[in-house]
Amino acid sequence: MKQGGLVDDTEDVELDFSTEEEEQRALRGVKIRHPLASFLHLFFRVAAIVTYLLCDWFTKSFTSCFIMIITLLSCDFWSVKNVTGRLLVGLRWWNQIDEDGRSLWVFEDSKSSPQAGGTEVEARIFWSGLIICPLIWTGFFFTTLFCLNTDWLVLVVASISLQGANLYGYLRCKNGGQEVPPTSPSSFLQGQHFLQRPDIISRML
């Protein structure tokens, strides 16, 4: 509009937040956002249990069964520690040794980012598989112990160690890097415990 030789170019600008709100609403409505990660989270550990129960039906070689089960559990350990935990619950952990030989527990938590982590259904899948499967292996431990089957006992102990390490690490990560369960002050001071900022893991997503 021209007035007194001046041109008024001022226009009303309407901000449209409907698209962003619809995207957030759509994300909340999705029950499983990472179907492949959810599948792999359960596949390796369930396959290891099934193989343990049924391998005698297919082969009498303990070595073949041992290698197959340990391979499945190793794949499970790596995928849960590095992939499914980050995608399904927005958590990640690892342990490293510094130059002075001290054990350092490092934790990442990306839950503060709305795009990070999975849905409630995925979180239930993650924690259910993470807790139930080690309990099943613990039951196998007592069974083999009572049967005095030392060969299978070694396999079961190795299985509990692999899955128990992930369970312990994620419980500590979920609790902000605190000991679970609490240990003595002297043992706690032997390592340094960090809860890293969410922006570190958000850059990885």
Side-chain angles (χ1 to χ4, degrees):
M1 180 180 70
K2 294 182 179 180
Q3 183 177 0
L6 298 177
V7 179
D8 186 2
D9 294 333
T10 303
E11 297 180 358
D12 292 335
V13 179
E14 182 179 354
L15 299 178
D16 185 9
F17 296 100
S18 59
T19 303
E20 182 178 353
E21 292 177 356
E22 289 176 359
E23 291 179 355
Q24 294 179 355
R25 195 178 301 112
L27 288 176
R28 288 194 296 266
V30 176
K31 292 185 177 180
I32 297 182
R33 196 186 304 174
H34 308 96
L36 181 59
S38 301
F39 171 76
L40 291 178
H41 179 71
L42 298 177
F43 172 75
F44 291 117
R45 53 187 52 216
V46 172
I49 293 173
V50 173
T51 302
Y52 175 84
L53 293 173
L54 303 180
C55 68
D56 283 340
W57 293 9
F58 302 101
T59 178
K60 296 299 181 182
S61 174
F62 171 77
T63 303
S64 300
C65 295
F66 186 94
I67 294 175
M68 187 179 303
I69 294 172
I70 292 299
T71 300
L72 288 170
L73 290 176
S74 298
C75 294
D76 169 75
F77 179 84
W78 183 89
S79 63
V80 172
K81 180 175 177 292
N82 297 288
V83 180
T84 63
R86 178 170 58 90
L87 294 178
L88 301 184
V89 292
L91 299 174
R92 189 174 175 222
W93 69 272
W94 69 88
N95 182 270
Q96 62 188 25
I97 305 299
D98 67 359
E99 297 178 352
D100 298 328
R102 293 176 299 180
S103 177
L104 305 178
W105 285 87
V106 186
F107 304 94
E108 292 178 347
D109 186 351
S110 63
K111 287 184 177 179
S112 60
S113 174
Q115 301 297 328
T119 62
E120 293 183 5
V121 173
E122 290 175 330
R124 293 193 193 101
I125 292 174
F126 178 84
W127 290 110
S128 297
L130 199 67
I131 295 172
I132 293 175
C133 291
L135 292 178
I136 294 175
W137 283 108
T138 303
F140 293 158
F141 170 80
F142 289 108
T143 301
T144 54
L145 183 64
F146 292 150
C147 295
L148 300 178
N149 195 334
T150 55
D151 291 337
W152 288 101
L153 185 61
V154 172
L155 173 61
V156 171
V157 170
S159 304
I160 293 175
S161 299
L162 285 171
Q163 296 204 337
N166 258 332
L167 176 60
Y168 179 72
Y170 276 110
L171 286 176
R172 289 190 59 185
C173 192
K174 181 178 175 63
N175 286 274
Q178 299 300 318
E179 289 283 348
V180 180
T183 59
S184 63
S186 60
S187 62
F188 180 80
L189 293 175
Q190 290 177 357
Q192 295 180 4
H193 310 277
F194 301 94
L195 182 64
Q196 294 190 348
R197 299 295 300 173
D199 56 344
I200 297 178
I201 189 174
S202 62
R203 291 196 296 265
M204 302 173 58
L205 296 174

